[in-house]
Coordinates of all heavy atoms in Angstrom, one line a residue:
Y191 N -213.3 -116.2 -63.1 CA -213.4 -116.2 -64.5 C -212.8 -117.4 -65.2 O -211.8 -118.0 -64.7 CB -212.6 -114.9 -65.1 CG -213.2 -113.6 -64.7 CD1 -212.8 -112.8 -63.6 CD2 -214.3 -113.1 -65.5 CE1 -213.4 -111.6 -63.4 CE2 -214.8 -111.8 -65.3 CZ -214.4 -111.1 -64.2 OH -214.9 -109.9 -63.9
L192 N -213.3 -117.8 -66.3 CA -212.7 -118.7 -67.2 C -211.9 -117.8 -68.2 O -212.5 -116.9 -68.8 CB -213.6 -119.6 -68.0 CG -214.4 -120.6 -67.2 CD1 -215.4 -121.3 -68.1 CD2 -213.5 -121.6 -66.5
S193 N -210.6 -118.0 -68.4 CA -209.8 -117.2 -69.3 C -209.3 -118.2 -70.4 O -208.6 -119.2 -70.1 CB -208.7 -116.5 -68.6 OG -207.9 -115.7 -69.5
F194 N -209.6 -117.9 -71.7 CA -209.2 -118.8 -72.7 C -208.0 -118.2 -73.5 O -208.0 -117.1 -74.0 CB -210.4 -119.0 -73.7 CG -211.5 -119.7 -73.1 CD1 -212.5 -118.9 -72.4 CD2 -211.6 -121.0 -73.1 CE1 -213.6 -119.5 -71.8 CE2 -212.7 -121.7 -72.5 CZ -213.7 -120.9 -71.8
A195 N -207.0 -119.0 -73.7 CA -205.7 -118.6 -74.4 C -206.1 -118.2 -75.8 O -206.9 -118.9 -76.5 CB -204.7 -119.7 -74.3
R196 N -205.4 -117.2 -76.3 CA -205.6 -116.8 -77.7 C -205.2 -117.9 -78.6 O -205.6 -118.0 -79.8 CB -204.8 -115.5 -78.0 CG -205.1 -114.8 -79.3 CD -204.2 -113.7 -79.6 NE -204.3 -112.7 -78.6 CZ -203.4 -111.7 -78.5 NH1 -202.4 -111.6 -79.4 NH2 -203.5 -110.8 -77.5
T197 N -204.2 -118.7 -78.2 CA -203.7 -119.8 -79.1 C -204.7 -120.9 -79.4 O -204.5 -121.8 -80.1 CB -202.5 -120.4 -78.5 OG1 -202.8 -120.8 -77.1 CG2 -201.3 -119.4 -78.4
L198 N -205.9 -120.8 -78.7 CA -207.0 -121.8 -79.1 C -207.4 -121.7 -80.5 O -208.0 -122.6 -81.1 CB -208.2 -121.7 -78.1 CG -208.0 -122.0 -76.7 CD1 -209.3 -121.9 -75.9 CD2 -207.5 -123.4 -76.5
R199 N -207.2 -120.5 -81.1 CA -207.7 -120.2 -82.4 C -206.6 -120.5 -83.4 O -205.4 -120.2 -83.2 CB -208.2 -118.8 -82.6 CG -209.4 -118.5 -81.8 CD -209.9 -117.0 -82.0 NE -210.3 -116.8 -83.4 CZ -211.5 -117.0 -83.8 NH1 -212.4 -117.4 -83.0 NH2 -211.8 -116.8 -85.1
S200 N -207.0 -121.0 -84.6 CA -206.0 -121.2 -85.7 C -205.9 -119.9 -86.5 O -204.9 -119.7 -87.2 CB -206.4 -122.3 -86.6 OG -207.7 -122.1 -87.1
D201 N -206.9 -119.0 -86.4 CA -206.8 -117.7 -87.1 C -206.8 -116.6 -86.0 O -207.4 -116.8 -85.0 CB -208.0 -117.6 -88.0 CG -209.3 -117.7 -87.3 OD1 -209.4 -118.5 -86.4 OD2 -210.3 -116.9 -87.6
P202 N -206.1 -115.6 -86.3 CA -205.9 -114.5 -85.3 C -207.1 -113.7 -85.1 O -207.9 -113.5 -86.0 CB -204.7 -113.7 -85.8 CG -204.8 -113.9 -87.3 CD -205.3 -115.3 -87.5
A203 N -207.3 -113.2 -83.9 CA -208.3 -112.2 -83.6 C -207.8 -110.8 -84.2 O -206.6 -110.7 -84.5 CB -208.6 -112.1 -82.2
V204 N -208.7 -109.8 -84.3 CA -208.3 -108.5 -84.7 C -208.3 -107.4 -83.7 O -207.6 -106.4 -83.7 CB -209.1 -108.1 -86.0 CG1 -208.8 -109.0 -87.2 CG2 -210.6 -108.1 -85.7
I205 N -209.2 -107.6 -82.7 CA -209.3 -106.7 -81.6 C -209.4 -107.4 -80.2 O -209.8 -108.5 -80.2 CB -210.5 -105.7 -81.7 CG1 -211.8 -106.4 -81.6 CG2 -210.4 -104.9 -83.0 CD1 -213.0 -105.5 -81.6
E206 N -209.0 -106.7 -79.2 CA -209.2 -107.2 -77.8 C -209.9 -106.1 -77.0 O -209.8 -104.9 -77.4 CB -207.8 -107.4 -77.2 CG -207.1 -108.6 -77.7 CD -205.7 -108.9 -77.0 OE1 -205.2 -107.9 -76.5 OE2 -205.3 -110.0 -77.0
A207 N -210.6 -106.5 -76.0 CA -211.3 -105.5 -75.2 C -211.2 -106.0 -73.7 O -211.2 -107.2 -73.4 CB -212.8 -105.4 -75.6
S208 N -211.2 -105.0 -72.8 CA -211.2 -105.4 -71.4 C -211.7 -104.2 -70.6 O -211.6 -103.1 -71.0 CB -209.7 -105.7 -70.9 OG -208.9 -104.6 -71.1
F209 N -212.3 -104.6 -69.4 CA -212.7 -103.6 -68.4 C -211.5 -103.2 -67.6 O -210.7 -104.0 -67.2 CB -213.8 -104.1 -67.5 CG -215.1 -104.1 -68.1 CD1 -215.8 -105.2 -68.3 CD2 -215.7 -102.9 -68.5 CE1 -217.1 -105.2 -68.8 CE2 -217.0 -102.9 -69.1 CZ -217.7 -104.1 -69.2
I210 N -211.3 -101.9 -67.3 CA -210.3 -101.4 -66.3 C -211.1 -101.1 -65.0 O -212.1 -100.5 -65.0 CB -209.7 -100.1 -66.9 CG1 -209.0 -100.4 -68.2 CG2 -208.7 -99.6 -65.9 CD1 -208.4 -99.2 -68.9
K211 N -210.5 -101.6 -63.9 CA -211.2 -101.5 -62.6 C -212.5 -102.2 -62.7 O -213.6 -101.6 -62.6 CB -211.4 -100.0 -62.2 CG -210.1 -99.3 -61.9 CD -210.4 -97.9 -61.4 CE -209.1 -97.2 -61.0 NZ -209.3 -95.8 -60.4
Q212 N -212.4 -103.5 -62.7 CA -213.6 -104.3 -62.9 C -214.6 -104.2 -61.7 O -215.8 -104.5 -61.8 CB -213.3 -105.8 -63.2 CG -212.6 -105.9 -64.5 CD -212.4 -107.4 -64.9 OE1 -212.6 -108.3 -64.0 NE2 -211.9 -107.6 -66.0
D213 N -214.0 -103.9 -60.5 CA -214.9 -103.7 -59.3 C -215.4 -102.3 -59.2 O -216.0 -102.0 -58.1 CB -214.1 -104.1 -58.1 CG -213.9 -105.6 -58.0 OD1 -214.7 -106.4 -58.6 OD2 -212.9 -106.1 -57.4
A214 N -215.2 -101.4 -60.1 CA -215.6 -100.0 -60.0 C -217.1 -99.9 -60.0 O -217.6 -98.9 -59.5 CB -215.0 -99.2 -61.1
A215 N -217.8 -100.9 -60.4 CA -219.3 -100.8 -60.4 C -219.9 -101.4 -59.2 O -221.1 -101.7 -59.1 CB -219.8 -101.5 -61.7
R216 N -219.1 -101.6 -58.1 CA -219.6 -102.2 -56.9 C -220.1 -101.0 -56.0 O -219.3 -100.2 -55.5 CB -218.6 -103.0 -56.2 CG -219.1 -103.8 -55.1 CD -218.1 -104.8 -54.5 NE -217.5 -105.6 -55.6 CZ -218.1 -106.7 -56.1 NH1 -219.3 -107.0 -55.6 NH2 -217.6 -107.4 -57.1
F217 N -221.4 -101.0 -55.7 CA -222.0 -100.0 -54.8 C -222.0 -100.6 -53.4 O -222.7 -101.5 -53.1 CB -223.4 -99.7 -55.2 CG -223.5 -99.0 -56.5 CD1 -223.4 -99.8 -57.7 CD2 -223.7 -97.7 -56.7 CE1 -223.5 -99.2 -58.9 CE2 -223.8 -97.1 -57.9 CZ -223.7 -97.8 -59.0
S218 N -221.2 -100.0 -52.5 CA -221.1 -100.5 -51.1 C -222.0 -99.7 -50.2 O -222.5 -100.1 -49.2 CB -219.7 -100.6 -50.6 OG -219.1 -99.4 -50.7
E219 N -222.1 -98.4 -50.5 CA -222.9 -97.5 -49.7 C -223.8 -96.6 -50.7 O -223.3 -96.1 -51.6 CB -222.1 -96.6 -48.9 CG -221.2 -97.3 -47.8 CD -220.4 -96.3 -47.0 OE1 -220.8 -95.1 -47.0 OE2 -219.5 -96.8 -46.3
V220 N -225.1 -96.5 -50.3 CA -226.0 -95.7 -51.1 C -226.9 -94.9 -50.1 O -226.9 -95.3 -48.9 CB -226.9 -96.5 -52.1 CG1 -226.0 -97.1 -53.2 CG2 -227.7 -97.5 -51.3
A221 N -227.6 -93.9 -50.6 CA -228.4 -93.1 -49.7 C -229.8 -92.9 -50.4 O -229.8 -92.7 -51.6 CB -227.8 -91.8 -49.4
I222 N -230.8 -93.1 -49.6 CA -232.2 -92.9 -50.2 C -232.4 -91.4 -50.5 O -231.9 -90.5 -49.8 CB -233.2 -93.3 -49.1 CG1 -233.2 -94.8 -48.9 CG2 -234.6 -92.9 -49.5 CD1 -234.1 -95.3 -47.8
N223 N -233.0 -91.2 -51.7 CA -233.2 -89.8 -52.2 C -232.0 -89.1 -52.7 O -231.9 -87.9 -52.8 CB -234.0 -89.0 -51.2 CG -235.4 -89.4 -51.1 OD1 -236.1 -89.9 -52.0 ND2 -235.9 -89.4 -49.8
E224 N -230.9 -89.9 -52.9 CA -229.6 -89.3 -53.4 C -229.1 -90.2 -54.4 O -228.9 -91.4 -54.2 CB -228.6 -89.1 -52.2 CG -227.3 -88.5 -52.7 CD -226.4 -88.3 -51.5 OE1 -226.9 -87.9 -50.4 OE2 -225.2 -88.4 -51.7
D225 N -228.8 -89.7 -55.6 CA -228.3 -90.5 -56.7 C -226.9 -90.9 -56.4 O -226.1 -90.1 -55.9 CB -228.4 -89.8 -58.1 CG -229.8 -89.5 -58.5 OD1 -230.7 -90.1 -57.8 OD2 -230.0 -88.8 -59.5
T226 N -226.5 -92.2 -56.8 CA -225.1 -92.7 -56.6 C -224.6 -93.2 -57.9 O -225.3 -93.9 -58.7 CB -225.1 -93.8 -55.6 OG1 -225.7 -93.4 -54.4 CG2 -223.7 -94.3 -55.3
T227 N -223.3 -92.8 -58.3 CA -222.7 -93.1 -59.5 C -221.4 -93.8 -59.3 O -220.6 -93.4 -58.5 CB -222.5 -91.8 -60.4 OG1 -223.7 -91.2 -60.6 CG2 -221.8 -92.2 -61.7
K228 N -221.2 -94.9 -60.1 CA -219.9 -95.6 -60.1 C -219.4 -95.6 -61.6 O -220.2 -95.6 -62.5 CB -220.0 -97.0 -59.6 CG -220.3 -97.1 -58.1 CD -219.1 -96.6 -57.3 CE -219.4 -96.8 -55.8 NZ -218.3 -96.4 -54.9
T229 N -218.1 -95.6 -61.8 CA -217.5 -95.5 -63.1 C -216.6 -96.7 -63.4 O -215.7 -97.0 -62.6 CB -216.8 -94.2 -63.3 OG1 -217.8 -93.1 -63.1 CG2 -216.2 -94.1 -64.7
A230 N -216.7 -97.3 -64.6 CA -215.7 -98.2 -65.1 C -215.2 -97.8 -66.4 O -215.9 -96.9 -67.1 CB -216.3 -99.6 -65.2
M231 N -214.1 -98.3 -66.9 CA -213.6 -97.9 -68.2 C -213.5 -99.2 -69.1 O -213.0 -100.2 -68.6 CB -212.2 -97.3 -68.1 CG -212.1 -96.1 -67.1 SD -213.2 -94.7 -67.6 CE -212.3 -94.2 -69.1
L232 N -213.9 -99.0 -70.3 CA -213.8 -100.1 -71.3 C -212.7 -99.8 -72.3 O -212.8 -98.7 -73.0 CB -215.1 -100.3 -72.0 CG -215.2 -101.3 -73.1 CD1 -214.9 -102.7 -72.6 CD2 -216.5 -101.3 -73.9

Side-chain angles (χ1 to χ4, degrees):
Y191 291 97
L192 293 177
S193 181
F194 296 88
R196 191 187 302 171
T197 54
L198 291 182
R199 294 182 64 89
S200 58
D201 57 321
V204 293
I205 63 174
E206 292 181 334
S208 61
F209 281 118
I210 299 175
K211 292 186 176 180
Q212 293 186 355
D213 288 334
R216 190 173 305 283
F217 296 78
S218 57
E219 295 182 16
V220 295
I222 294 175
N223 291 323
E224 181 178 324
D225 295 351
T226 306
T227 302
K228 292 292 183 178
T229 301
M231 305 299 294
L232 175 65

